[in-house]
Amino acid sequence: MVDWLMHNLRKLRGIVPALSTAMKRDGSIDEEGIRELVRFNLEKGVHAFAVTIIAGEFYKLTDAERKRVYDMVIDETNGKIPVLAGTSHSGTEPTIELSRYAMDAGADGIIVMPPFFGRVESSLYLHEHYSRIARAVDLPLMIQDAEDYTGVVFSSVAISKLAKEFSNIFMVKVEGARTLEKIGEIRKLNGNKMVILGGMAAKLLIEELELGSQGNIPDGCLPELLVDVYRRYRRGDVSGARRIFKKYERWLDYLSLHPLLEIALEKETLRLRGVIKSSYVRGPTLALEKRHTQSLTAILREIGVSSTA
């Protein structure tokens, strides 16, 4: 089974939404909202899911809630596409515990950031952290290099060393100030042996593909646009891919104006599209204002994306 999972995920390509964690207005987990979000993205043709990573507010969920979200997404996906469970935590032992649960629940792989508390200590312990997880869990492991969030710098050499030592470490999500340089470095160091995906809400998707990445892990708000961009690029219609990306970029530019509201704006986009009923974001957070909703509604109409507003 493990060999089959590794063989399957070595072929991972395309758009892999980092699913939001839908919540009710009282802040509790919205199971039907999560399941509807899975169905919505499946309908739009995405290629895999990443669950409870940054866009999913994993750091505001209890471990029990994260496990519940794994179960819901894995059940609703029902083997149609791979599910990567985000098991990042503040320490190695709880990461291993969550990863083992994800394995038993039927996840196809795990996606793990460096420990996000005590960045100096974490930076010095990176190789040991990932080595222990790789040995403890018989699942493919994707390294999530998210230095803008964690403050932990993960060098291309360190990533490549782990990939060469452990057969189940062969995927990486690269995002940060040096995304494009790092994609090139990892590809040079590992050839085609690593699956490299970008992040940062897909703002560099086409540039990443040009450098040899296999896709991107964005949010799950406008999946049809990004799937269209990816498919056009792969079949050689680069000008068509850029034209569709311009539509997506209109929405992305608005998010970039409000970096502290990014998750709230993503959820509000999903609410406006009729996918979830509430755009509630757990604290700490800043509140959306009426003007934000009005702007998002206008943008969705402008780019021709369905909206219920």
Side-chain angles (χ1 to χ4, degrees):
M1 180 66 174
V2 176
D3 289 342
W4 180 86
L5 288 175
M6 292 211 289
H7 175 75
N8 192 39
L9 282 179
R10 283 187 185 278
K11 298 184 291 182
L12 180 63
R13 305 287 186 275
I15 303 302
V16 182
L19 294 179
S20 298
T21 301
M23 297 171 184
K24 299 178 182 178
R25 291 182 179 88
D26 63 2
S28 61
I29 300 295
D30 181 0
E31 177 168 345
E32 182 52 35
I34 290 172
R35 290 181 179 274
E36 182 57 34
L37 183 54
V38 170
R39 293 191 289 265
F40 170 75
N41 275 272
L42 285 173
E43 180 185 311
K44 303 304 182 184
V46 303
H47 303 90
F49 288 126
V51 185
T52 71
I53 60 174
I54 294 169
E57 299 174 81
F58 79 90
Y59 48 94
K60 299 177 183 179
L61 305 177
T62 67
D63 289 355
E65 287 174 325
R66 293 176 72 179
K67 293 173 182 178
R68 183 181 166 204
V69 174
Y70 301 161
D71 291 337
M72 286 186 282
V73 174
I74 291 166
D75 178 67
E76 191 63 40
T77 304
N78 195 28
K80 295 180 179 70
I81 58 175
V83 175
L84 301 174
T87 60
S88 303
H89 216 294
S90 53
T92 304
E93 282 77 9
T95 302
I96 289 173
E97 198 274 330
L98 278 177
S99 299
R100 284 174 170 162
Y101 184 91
M103 179 175 64
D104 292 341
D108 298 275
I110 55 176
I111 176 167
V112 184
M113 288 194 320
F116 49 85
F117 184 81
R119 63 185 179 184
V120 174
E121 186 178 40
S122 180
S123 297
L124 296 172
Y125 194 72
L126 279 177
H127 189 272
E128 184 70 13
H129 179 69
Y130 283 93
S131 297
R132 289 179 60 189
I133 300 166
R135 292 190 189 103
V137 184
D138 289 329
L139 277 179
L141 188 163
M142 178 183 286
I143 294 171
Q144 182 177 4
D145 174 30
E147 61 185 67
D148 286 354
Y149 290 94
T150 63
V152 177
V153 177
F154 211 151
S155 74
S156 301
V157 171
I159 291 169
S160 299
K161 183 180 179 182
L162 283 164
K164 290 173 181 175
E165 289 184 23
F166 297 96
S167 61
N168 57 336
I169 299 180
F170 55 86
M171 303 179 289
V172 59
K173 179 190 181 189
V174 181
E175 60 184 347
R178 294 187 64 251
T179 289
L180 298 181
E181 291 86 352
K182 193 171 281 189
I183 287 174
E185 291 166 0
I186 295 171
R187 184 61 72 214
K188 184 177 180 180
L189 288 166
N190 293 275
N192 293 321
K193 294 181 180 179
M194 284 204 80
V195 175
I196 304 174
L197 302 178
M200 296 192 297
K203 73 176 183 179
L204 298 174
L205 174 58
I206 293 177
E207 291 82 0
E208 291 164 357
L209 293 172
E210 289 173 340
L211 284 168
S213 78
Q214 282 98 335
N216 191 277
I217 301 181
D219 49 66
C221 301
L222 304 173
E224 65 269 50
L225 293 181
L226 292 177
V227 168
D228 194 10
V229 170
Y230 175 79
R231 287 175 176 170
R232 286 173 184 269
Y233 184 90
R234 285 301 183 204
R235 66 173 184 253
D237 180 13
V238 179
S239 62
R242 292 188 186 281
R243 186 178 69 253
I244 300 301
F245 189 80
K246 283 291 184 183
K247 293 184 177 183
Y248 176 76
E249 201 169 34
R250 177 69 182 89
W251 175 82
L252 187 61
D253 285 346
Y254 185 73
L255 260 66
S256 69
L257 295 174
H258 307 281
L260 297 180
L261 290 173
E262 186 172 321
I263 289 176
L265 290 170
E266 289 170 353
K267 285 189 166 184
E268 183 67 356
T269 298
L270 289 166
R271 188 191 70 81
L272 289 171
R273 301 198 68 189
V275 181
I276 60 177
K277 294 180 180 179
S278 166
S279 56
Y280 185 89
V281 176
R282 287 184 177 179
T285 187
L286 299 178
L288 288 180
E289 299 176 13
K290 187 176 181 180
R291 62 186 175 91
H292 297 124
T293 297
Q294 291 172 339
S295 294
L296 283 175
T297 301
I299 290 168
L300 293 178
R301 288 173 178 163
E302 177 186 328
I303 65 179
V305 175
S306 61
S307 169
T308 60

